[in-house]
Every structure is written in C-alpha cells, then in structure tokens.
Amino acid sequence: MTDEDYMREALYEAQASSARGEVPVGAVIVNSAGVIIARTGNAPISIIDPTAHAEILAIRDAAYRTDNYRLNGTTLYVTLEPCTMCAGAISNARIGRVVYGASDLKGGAVENGVKFFDQPTCHHRPKVTGGILATESAALLKAFFKARRK
C-alpha cells in the first residue's frame, strides 16, 4: 500500500469521527510490515477526555496491541498536522515516521507553530511527510465546521 492508501484509511476514521459529532481527524498506525495495527478518530467529546485526539488514541491502542510502549519502526498517518501534545506523544513513543494530510497553521506543531521535532530538547525526531491527501483532509474539516456554524 502507498502513503495515499493509508491516508485514505485515516480519512475513513475522520469521517466516522465526524458522524459522531467529533472534529474529523483520523489516524492509523502501520507496523514495519505494512500492517495497520491501530486505527481511530478523535473522541474527546464522546469519552469526555481532552487528550483523546486521534493520534493519542492510536498510539495507546498500538502500544497495547504490541505490548510495547515503544513503537519503533512504525508510521503514523493522520489527517491533520499534529498539535504539541500529540507531537510529544509521538516522540515519546519513538514512532519512526509521521505522515499527515492538512497543515494546521493555528494548532499544528510539526511544521507550524512550535515545530516540536526541531527543538533541541526533543527526545526523538521522526521523519515527517506532510500534505498527503491534504485537499481531502482539509475539505472534511471545512465542511464539518461550516455545518456547525449553521
């Protein structure tokens, strides 16, 4: 599978989040063999947890499934550029690569904002690829917020 294929899986999770009334962000984690080991979407409203971003939930699930809090050699696909909290979790989990869809000029912390992985105190710096299916990811977010403003 390609980066676009995995990102489509993350977009599916984002759509499911939107259907639950959550901000449509989805994430999947893929192991070194190319197998999806975790998939989820945002859930802070439904589980009443401000840390329940898609990335955090996927990291928790992948760590549980692999019985290891280190996720070396994995790739995280997420539809929106991770925030500072999620970037910290990605670093602590030692995820090898992050692929994201839409940039987040306001809340992003990877290539925008604090640029977490560029900080000298960052424990682990994954490889980062941004902009994969960015148009689709951004359109889903825009449609969600447009509908909420009505």
Side-chain angles (χ1 to χ4, degrees), residues 14 25 34 40 44 64 67 72 78 95 117 120 130 134 136 138 144:
V25 177
T40 190
Y64 179 77
D67 196 31
N72 296 314
V78 61
I95 290 174
F117 301 130
E136 294 88 334
F144 176 81

Side-chain angles (χ1 to χ4, degrees), residues 22-104:
E22 301 280 358
V23 174
V25 177
V28 298
I29 296 180
V30 178
N31 68 15
S32 60
V35 176
I36 295 174
I37 58 171
R39 59 184 320 129
T40 190
N42 267 359
I45 297 166
S46 57
I47 66 172
I48 314 167
D49 179 354
T51 69
H53 291 195
E55 301 95 308
I56 299 292
L57 295 175
I59 289 168
R60 288 177 184 163
D61 192 32
Y64 179 77
R65 289 175 188 232
T66 61
D67 196 31
N68 193 340
Y69 72 108
R70 297 287 193 227
L71 299 173
N72 296 314
T74 61
T75 300
L76 167 69
Y77 292 86
V78 61
T79 58
L80 183 64
E81 177 183 355
C83 69
T84 306
M85 174 183 68
C86 293
I90 290 164
S91 178
N92 280 300
R94 306 299 195 263
I95 290 174
R97 183 168 177 241
V98 174
V99 179
Y100 70 86
S103 291
D104 187 351

